[in-house]
Amino acid sequence: MKLALVVIGLVCLAAGAPVSAQTATHPAAAPATAAAPAASAAPAPAAAAAPGAAAGAPGAEPAATDTRGLDQDIQGLKKDVVDLNRDLFVLEEELLFPANTQVAVFISMDVGDFFALDTVTLKIDQKEVANYLYTPREVEALGKGGVQRLYLGNLKAGQHELVAIFSGQGPHERDYRRGATLKFEKGIGAKYLELKINDRQRRQQPEFEIKDWE
């Protein structure tokens, strides 16, 4: 009888083992299925970031506006620098060449059909103060009515002599060299002199003169 009970107990234990094993595996399977929603919920932050990016798009327009404003500020600064340089240049000339001692010599050309200017040498009181070599473009500008400041310096009041020597090609493309002389009085104020190259149609020759701007 005891042996039969023992056999029956062993059979029950043997039969109950799978049941306990099966019940042990079910709780482990439940968390796995519960974890699946957590894994599927992981991409949610990336989807949530999209509205933020879309909201940032309108911000590009203020950035472009700021860039245009910066460009305008830069252009304004450039203009201020140019104006400042011009003012400094004028101030420097006023300091180096005061009105009471200043003398300036300009050069102009009328048509220039009979003379192609090459160089001009300028002497004041037998001292060379300027020697300028002209380019074809500069000669063309003078022929169109341009005026060039050839010399700016200082002279004390009194009598002075100005000598200008012009070199270039004259009629028939021959080398041409002529001079002009002027004696002038330097007063208290600034003195302005002009070298003029004119065509003399009757003689078909260039004419050189020095004009005193009173």
Side-chain angles (χ1 to χ4, degrees):
M1 188 68 176
K2 291 182 180 180
L3 180 59
L5 292 175
V6 172
V7 172
I8 293 172
L10 291 175
V11 172
C12 293
L13 289 175
V19 176
S20 61
Q22 186 175 2
T23 55
T25 55
H26 281 297
T33 54
S40 62
E61 184 176 354
T65 304
D66 294 343
T67 302
R68 288 194 297 268
L70 182 60
D71 291 339
Q72 293 176 357
D73 292 342
I74 292 175
Q75 295 300 325
L77 288 175
K78 287 182 179 179
K79 184 180 181 302
D80 292 341
V81 171
V82 172
D83 294 341
L84 179 60
N85 286 337
R86 184 182 64 249
D87 295 341
L88 289 175
F89 179 76
V90 173
L91 179 60
E92 181 181 12
E93 284 196 347
E94 291 177 352
L95 293 175
L96 295 177
F97 310 104
N100 59 338
T101 61
Q102 183 183 124
V103 57
V105 181
F106 300 86
I107 184 170
S108 64
M109 180 184 296
D110 179 20
V111 182
D113 290 337
F114 304 124
F115 181 70
L117 182 62
D118 188 15
T119 63
V120 174
T121 301
L122 196 64
K123 295 181 179 181
I124 297 180
D125 298 334
Q126 300 181 353
K127 179 182 179 181
E128 184 174 314
V129 294
N131 191 346
Y132 196 87
L133 175 63
Y134 288 87
T135 64
R137 181 174 295 181
E138 290 173 330
V139 174
E140 182 181 359
L142 289 174
K144 291 181 179 180
V147 177
Q148 176 204 6
R149 189 178 69 183
L150 184 63
Y151 172 73
L152 179 65
N154 294 309
L155 281 180
K156 62 182 181 180
Q159 286 284 338
H160 300 278
E161 183 182 39
L162 174 67
V163 177
I165 302 174
F166 306 87
S167 300
Q169 286 188 342
H172 309 294
E173 297 183 353
R174 294 178 299 180
D175 291 340
Y176 207 88
R177 183 180 174 89
R178 290 291 185 272
T181 303
L182 175 68
K183 291 184 178 180
F184 62 94
E185 177 79 18
K186 175 67 174 68
I188 298 177
K191 191 71 172 178
Y192 302 104
L193 305 170
E194 181 184 0
L195 310 178
K196 299 189 67 174
I197 305 174
N198 301 315
D199 284 342
R200 298 189 63 178
Q201 297 292 340
R202 291 182 180 179
R203 299 179 57 183
Q204 293 188 349
Q205 294 286 335
E207 181 183 43
F208 307 93
E209 62 175 330
I210 304 175
K211 181 180 180 180
D212 187 354
W213 294 358
E214 297 291 346

